[in-house]
Amino acid sequence: METTVGTAGLPAVLDLPAGPVRGGLVVLHGSHAEQHSYFLYAHLARLLPPAGIAVLRYDRRPRIDGHDVPLADQAEDASAALTELRRHVGAVPVGLWGFSQGAWAAALTAVRHPVDFLVLVGCSAVSPAVQ
């Protein structure tokens, strides 16, 4: 189902299970994997709904003048995505799945907008400045 995320109206797709929803997941982007159609995100949307897990994928906010999207803005968008997901799935466990830079955004989001779980893929153990 097509939807949007946040005040920026970022294009999004919510893939829901055919049966009861057991949980939900918001997908957060790597720095160069910005579209909700990216193969890795689409794979999650095919794999998880049959197991009862809803998957919300959205397009990352565009870069401005070639500068990366600030992590605070990414966390704001992720919080909006969580709100949108919860609107459709109700009181089931929901979490964030962050890929590469999305893992930093997931951790920052979880501090501001509590979630039930985090899945961090390709996560650096140091800050962006150190990396």
Side-chain angles (χ1 to χ4, degrees):
M1 128 186 197
E2 292 188 20
T3 187
T4 59
V5 166
T7 57
L10 301 170
V13 174
L14 175 59
D15 294 283
L16 292 164
V21 178
R22 298 176 30 203
L25 188 71
V26 171
V27 176
L28 302 185
H29 320 82
S31 64
H32 290 85
E34 302 159 336
Q35 302 299 311
H36 71 268
S37 59
Y38 185 67
F39 77 94
L40 192 53
Y41 316 148
H43 175 71
L44 292 170
R46 283 189 305 274
L47 184 69
L48 295 177
I53 310 299
V55 177
L56 179 67
R57 320 173 262 144
Y58 60 97
D59 287 354
R60 183 176 149 137
R61 191 183 290 215
R63 296 170 186 264
I64 298 175
D65 297 328
H67 297 286
D68 201 1
V69 179
L71 285 174
D73 292 346
Q74 292 180 52
E76 179 183 317
D77 295 340
S79 291
L82 284 165
T83 299
E84 179 68 10
L85 177 63
R86 284 191 167 125
R87 189 170 74 81
H88 292 281
V89 301
V92 299
V94 297
L96 299 166
W97 183 97
F99 171 60
S100 191
Q101 189 181 91
W104 285 326
L108 181 58
T109 303
V111 168
R112 298 173 175 183
H113 193 129
V115 293
D116 297 297
F117 61 91
L118 293 172
V119 179
L120 307 176
V121 179
C123 178
S124 175
V126 297
S127 71
V130 172
Q131 187 185 22

